[in-house]
Amino acid sequence: MSFFGGGGEQQPPQPDPVFAAQTEMEMYTDLFNKMTVMCFKKCASRKHKDAELHLGETSCLDRCVAKYMDAQKNVGLVLQKANEKQAMEQQRIQGMQNAMGGS
């Protein structure tokens, strides 16, 4: 039993849900802004004679947004796998340290 009570295993600190929500909102806002700028530059006519987009511009924007979102999903999956691999490696190292009588 420790001097400060408890004596059980320490729980890892839990992430702040408000901070997580704010960070996620900032990430999606940044994603939307980057996608909007990139796809508009690629697809919208520079002449802007009409208030509405032409059929070709609309189709281009649809494809651009779909490709951008697909690429973001793929990058997210790669990063998630890398994080999982890193966490498993940290657990393996921690297990080795515990087995050797480390901290």
Side-chain angles (χ1 to χ4, degrees), residues 3-58:
F3 179 76
F4 295 106
E9 284 189 35
Q10 288 182 318
Q11 294 294 325
Q14 297 298 318
D16 179 17
V18 173
F19 177 75
Q22 287 174 335
T23 303
E24 186 175 13
M25 190 63 160
E26 289 171 5
M27 180 190 70
Y28 280 117
T29 300
D30 186 49
L31 170 74
F32 178 78
N33 289 336
K34 286 180 180 179
M35 180 180 60
T36 301
V37 168
M38 186 186 76
C39 290
F40 188 81
K41 282 182 182 178
K42 179 179 179 183
C43 298
S45 173
R46 303 286 186 249
K47 298 175 182 142
H48 301 294
K49 294 179 183 177
D50 300 324
E52 302 293 321
L53 293 171
H54 296 155
L55 180 60
E57 293 171 325
T58 303

Side-chain angles (χ1 to χ4, degrees), residues 48-103:
H48 301 294
K49 294 179 183 177
D50 300 324
E52 302 293 321
L53 293 171
H54 296 155
L55 180 60
E57 293 171 325
T58 303
S59 297
C60 180
L61 286 167
D62 285 343
R63 285 190 306 273
C64 182
V65 168
K67 287 179 182 179
Y68 196 92
M69 294 304 291
D70 191 40
Q72 289 296 316
K73 182 180 86 171
N74 290 340
V75 168
L77 290 174
V78 168
L79 290 175
Q80 181 180 1
K81 287 179 183 178
N83 286 339
E84 289 170 358
K85 185 177 179 181
Q86 183 180 20
M88 288 174 52
E89 184 66 20
Q90 286 176 341
Q91 287 177 349
R92 185 182 70 79
I93 291 170
Q94 185 68 35
M96 290 173 58
Q97 287 175 342
N98 290 341
M100 295 174 72
S103 53

